[in-house]
């Protein structure tokens, strides 16, 4: 029996996690998936309920779980709180406390959605890249940090970009190993022309490459990488980068696929335990309106099956079911294009479930 902890969070989080739970429940009740699900608060809703974004009880449950499915955190009502007590700290605290250092963010363009991308079809069709983002280090966690008043009376804001060589090697190995299962190309993204920390990053990646001679390693500065992602994204297979650069580049990569509402992610620890979440945010403007796209969260369940439960057959079926729903022309608002049928969050979830059932009886 595997334990899955559900952390719906804020904004559209509860709606999209609800649709993913439909899929998990179906697999449990009809396909013998041996799971038990439990829910806990995180983010703004946890601040409202318990006074903090990552309550001790949530962290305890997360430690006991085999996998975690998270919706999204954050919202305007908590933005005036000090950074230490904001909803985002709940997510960052969870990633850090459980050592989820490797964030895998695939950007895959479903051929059915080629019209939904803002880029020309020939630029994006066939796109299949994976961003491997370092998730528990770098400027997100470095010290010193904060805002203080200097001797001359000026307020100063400080954050620190810091990586140890072992942190760099750990995420590098992950990228090379994954590239071996894909097209054997790794592009490491840094700012080695300006930042010493990423000079070390580049050096360590280069050293690692000698142990993976079957994988091709290239390097790009982050500004160029951003440009290349928009200019010719199909040149990439695996991109490996720091926490902050990965945050930024993965939003850009998401838009190549038509909508950020399509992109799942997996954050893994050293043992393969994972936190699974869509890469998009809590979208408070559309929360509770049955408008959000649940596919990124449903696809995150597929990643959970693939990486933590080592059940790639079921993961494939979920992805196939999503493809079929898109084939039928169903679209949430974010991926709508002329001639397609707009459906809500719940209808989209139901359609995936129906497609999954059909696949199972074929
Ligand atoms: C993401 C998000 C988070 C991050 C926020 C919500 C803390 O943007 O997962 O990409 O910056 O990592
Ligand atoms: Mg982000």
């Amino acid at each position: 029996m595997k334990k899955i902890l559900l952390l719906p969070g804020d904004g559209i989080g509860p709606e999209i996690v609800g649709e993913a739970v439909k899929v998990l429940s179906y697999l449990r009740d009809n396909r013998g998936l041996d799971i038990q699900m439990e829910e806990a608060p995180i983010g703004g809703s946890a601040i409202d309920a318990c006074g903090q974004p990552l309550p001790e009880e949530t962290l305890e449950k997360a430690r006991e779980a085999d996998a975690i499915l998270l919706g999204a955190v954050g919202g305007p009502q908590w933005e005036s709180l000090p950074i230490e007590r904001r909803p985002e700290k709940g997510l960052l605290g969870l990633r850090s406390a459980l050592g989820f250092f490797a964030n895998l963010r695939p950007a895959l363009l479903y051929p059915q959605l080629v019209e939904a991308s803002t880029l020309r079809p020939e630029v994006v069709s066939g796109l299949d890249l994976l961003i491997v983002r370092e998730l528990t280090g770098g400027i997100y966690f470095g010290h010193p940090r904060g805002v203080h008043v200097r001797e001359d009376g000026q307020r100063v804001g400080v954050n620190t970009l810091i990586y140890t060589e072992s942190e760099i090697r750990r995420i590098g190995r992950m990228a090379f190993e994954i590239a071996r299962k894909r097209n054997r190309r790794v592009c490491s993204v840094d700012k080695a022309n300006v930042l010493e920390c990423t000079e070390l990053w580049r050096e360590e990646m280069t050293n690692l490459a000698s142990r993976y001679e079957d994988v091709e390693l290239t390097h790009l500065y982050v500004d160029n990488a951003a440009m290349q992602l928009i200019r010719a994204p199909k040149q990439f297979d695996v991109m490996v980068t720091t926490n902050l650069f990965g945050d930024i580049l993965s939003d850009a990569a998401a838009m190549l696929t038509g909508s950020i509402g399509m992109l799942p992610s997996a954050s893994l620890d050293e043992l393969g335990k994972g936190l699974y979440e869509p890469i998009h945010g809590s979208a408070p403007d559309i929360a509770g309106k049955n408008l959000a796209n649940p596919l990124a969260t449903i696809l995150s369940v597929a990643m959970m099956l693939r990486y933590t439960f080592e059940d790639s057959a079921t993961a494939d079926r979920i992805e196939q079911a999503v493809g079929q729903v898109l084939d039928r022309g169903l679209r949430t608002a974010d991926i709508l294009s002329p001639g397609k049928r707009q459906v809500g969050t719940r209808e989209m979830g139901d359609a995936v479930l129906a497609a999954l059932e059909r696949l199972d009886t074929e």
Side-chain angles (χ1 to χ4, degrees), residues 66-83:
D66 296 291
I68 303 163
L69 183 69
L70 183 132
V73 296
Q77 62 270 55
W78 303 288
E79 265 165 24
S80 54
L81 290 172
I83 255 187

Side-chain angles (χ1 to χ4, degrees), residues 105-114 117 124-131 182 237 250 253-259 261-264 299 306 319-320 322-323 326:
R105 299 190 157 190
L108 185 102
L109 180 76
Y110 278 83
Q112 301 90 331
L113 292 185
V114 80
S117 175
V124 289
S125 68
L127 178 82
D128 177 5
L129 66 85
L130 176 74
I131 296 183
R182 296 176 47 104
D237 178 25
S250 62
M255 277 323 287
L256 304 171
T257 71
S259 169
M262 291 298 300
L263 264 66
L299 290 168
R306 179 166 293 124
E319 287 162 2
Q320 223 181 322
V322 168
L326 297 174

Side-chain angles (χ1 to χ4, degrees), residues 7 46 89 109 160 189 200 292 319 324:
L7 302 173
K89 272 286 160 184
L109 180 76
T160 304
V189 177
L200 179 68
E319 287 162 2
Q324 290 188 356

Side-chain angles (χ1 to χ4, degrees), residues 22 43 51 84 143 186 194-195 199 231 279 290 333 353:
K22 282 186 193 166
E84 275 310 308
H143 284 272
V186 171
V194 178
L195 305 173
E199 214 180 351
R231 191 187 73 83
I279 82 154
N290 196 35
L353 203 59

Side-chain angles (χ1 to χ4, degrees), residues 45 57 76 84 89 104 109 120 138 150 165 194 201 204 207 230 259 280 290 292 301 304 343 362:
S45 46
E57 218 182 296
E84 275 310 308
K89 272 286 160 184
L104 315 184
L109 180 76
R120 285 200 307 275
R150 215 166 48 181
E165 52 185 7
V194 178
W201 177 281
E204 287 300 332
N207 290 343
I230 311 301
S259 169
H280 59 69
N290 196 35
V301 169
M304 179 188 289
V343 296
E362 257 166 24

Side-chain angles (χ1 to χ4, degrees), residues 88 91-92 95 105 133 140 247:
E88 288 78 3
L91 177 54
L92 296 173
R95 288 171 178 170
R105 299 190 157 190
R133 167 187 176 195
Y140 270 54
D247 179 46

